[in-house]
Amino acid sequence: MVTITHPGRVIYADLGVTKQDVADYYQAVMKAFLPGVAARPVSVLRCPEGAAGDCFFQKHMMKGLHHVRGAKLTERGGDSAIYLCLDDAEAVLELVQFGTVEFHPWGALASDPDRADLMVFDLDPASDVKWPRVAAAARLVRKLLGQVGLQSFLRTTGGKGLHVVVPLRPACTWTPVKDFAHALADALARGWPDEFIAQASKSQREGLIFVDYLRNARGATSVASYSLRARKGAPVAMPVRWDELGKLKGGDAFDIHTAVQRLKRQRRDPWEGFDRIEQGIEGIDTSPLST
Ligand code: ATP
Ligand code: MN
């Protein structure tokens, strides 16, 4: 059992959502949430003074955690460190007790950190890009992936954009994954220069959607499906079916309340099949991308 101290502490002042409400939220979505974070190194965004206060990312284990498993991993410099890794509901709630609002897993398992088992295309629209263009951009990413034989899945981020997620089975070493993601982002920017930009430089992004392929590297993270976001309105990152995209109003279409309602009504996992698909990028013919 994890005890939530200061249960009445307000985390989302705009909604009056408390720390206990955050714990109850994760408890309510746990069955759907856990498979996306379990057994992976996870960075958490902690907001001890609430979502509008100072929040900070944490990736390493700390004193006082008894349910969270530490995973020893090698870091860039060659030293090793103990990363946060969750296996069960208690670990999730323990991190909420420590002020966690958001959960951001790696695209790899802690037991196999050098190989990606998923790829994420993070579509980041500049502030002047209207939503229908973001939706169309996601459809185009899906189409291009389909042209090289890859199935993909869609997630609202709870923020401005969308994530297009590609499962890789068997898992694949990071270098070819990174190269493929870069190639796809370049193909988008070259083929649709009025819509996409593949360079991270902020200055040239006006009016464009940045395809952030850099999520696809060892140690990089993406927000977990069903994670809350520490932003106004308590939005949630939500996996959706491709045929729902047309009626979505934005990346923040779901929140702490509607996410729970949706899950209750939901008969089928919107990402049905995600865990069974066998597909990879090794030996893939990328020539459809360069035309
Ligand atoms: P939005 O749709 O608003 O862009 P997002 O989750 O995609 O939402 P980004 O700022 O585009 O937000 O970041 C993409 C991903 O990069 C995040 O989901 C997060 O996992 C990761 N990320 C960003 N900044 C950090 C950080 N400082 N530490 C760890 N991970 C980060
Ligand atoms: Mn993004």
Side-chain angles (χ1 to χ4, degrees):
M1 261 290 284
V2 173
T3 308
I4 301 294
T5 59
H6 309 290
R9 179 171 292 158
V10 175
I11 303 297
Y12 293 96
D14 48 338
L15 303 179
V17 166
T18 64
K19 188 176 174 190
Q20 185 65 53
D21 294 330
V22 169
D24 292 347
Y25 167 78
Y26 279 111
Q27 190 76 274
V29 301
M30 195 62 78
K31 217 175 127 221
F33 168 69
L34 207 46
V37 289
R40 298 172 184 277
V42 172
S43 295
V44 295
L45 186 70
R46 295 173 63 197
C47 307
E49 295 144 32
D54 287 335
C55 301
F56 56 95
F57 272 100
Q58 178 175 341
K59 59 182 180 180
H60 292 145
M61 207 45 190
M62 62 181 161
K63 280 209 186 86
L65 294 176
H66 304 294
H67 296 280
V68 176
R69 165 162 67 99
K72 191 171 173 186
L73 298 175
T74 313
E75 303 207 287
R76 206 171 291 161
D79 294 341
S80 63
I82 315 290
Y83 281 67
L84 298 171
C85 186
L86 333 170
D87 294 314
D88 53 28
E90 278 71 32
V92 172
L93 295 175
E94 184 168 54
L95 284 165
V96 171
Q97 162 58 14
F98 276 79
T100 294
V101 175
E102 303 187 359
F103 293 84
H104 298 252
W106 286 29
L109 299 176
S111 58
D112 194 11
D114 295 325
R115 294 191 305 155
D117 67 352
L118 55 83
M119 198 161 36
V120 178
F121 294 94
D122 169 25
L123 301 180
D124 282 339
S127 54
D128 55 342
V129 174
K130 298 245 164 55
W131 177 254
R133 286 177 57 198
V134 184
R139 267 186 215 107
L140 193 52
V141 173
R142 180 197 193 196
K143 187 172 154 196
L144 254 57
L145 288 165
Q147 283 172 0
V148 295
L150 293 172
Q151 286 191 59
S152 59
F153 295 81
L154 183 65
R155 170 167 63 216
T156 67
T157 62
K160 308 182 302 310
L162 291 165
H163 289 172
V164 177
V165 186
V166 181
L168 301 172
R169 180 168 302 98
C172 178
T173 50
W174 283 110
T175 303
V177 168
K178 206 183 335 183
D179 291 348
F180 175 87
H182 194 170
L184 190 101
D186 278 348
L188 288 162
R190 235 184 306 114
W192 293 268
D194 296 336
E195 291 299 323
F196 295 103
I197 183 164
Q199 274 100 46
S201 66
K202 272 249 155 71
S203 57
Q204 300 159 43
R205 277 200 219 169
E206 207 175 310
L208 297 173
I209 298 165
F210 172 51
V211 192
D212 185 357
Y213 58 89
L214 300 167
R215 304 286 100 232
N216 303 293
R218 190 186 190 277
T221 65
S222 311
V223 72
S225 294
Y226 304 101
S227 175
L228 284 168
R229 305 308 302 263
R231 303 178 188 187
K232 259 207 194 109
V236 166
M238 181 61 74
V240 295
R241 299 188 314 271
W242 281 106
D243 65 10
E244 293 180 283
L245 179 55
K247 60 174 197 264
L248 283 181
K249 298 244 175 350
D252 57 356
F254 298 96
D255 67 20
I256 189 167
H257 301 302
T258 56
V260 175
Q261 288 163 9
R262 172 182 164 89
L263 260 181
K264 272 193 194 137
R265 283 196 216 116
Q266 187 168 280
R267 302 255 165 81
R268 281 173 158 201
D269 180 357
W271 281 16
E272 197 167 44
F274 185 89
D275 299 322
R276 291 189 303 275
I277 290 169
E278 299 207 6
Q279 61 180 13
I281 55 163
E282 267 155 320
I284 222 168
D285 175 15
T286 54
S287 55
L289 296 182
S290 47
T291 51

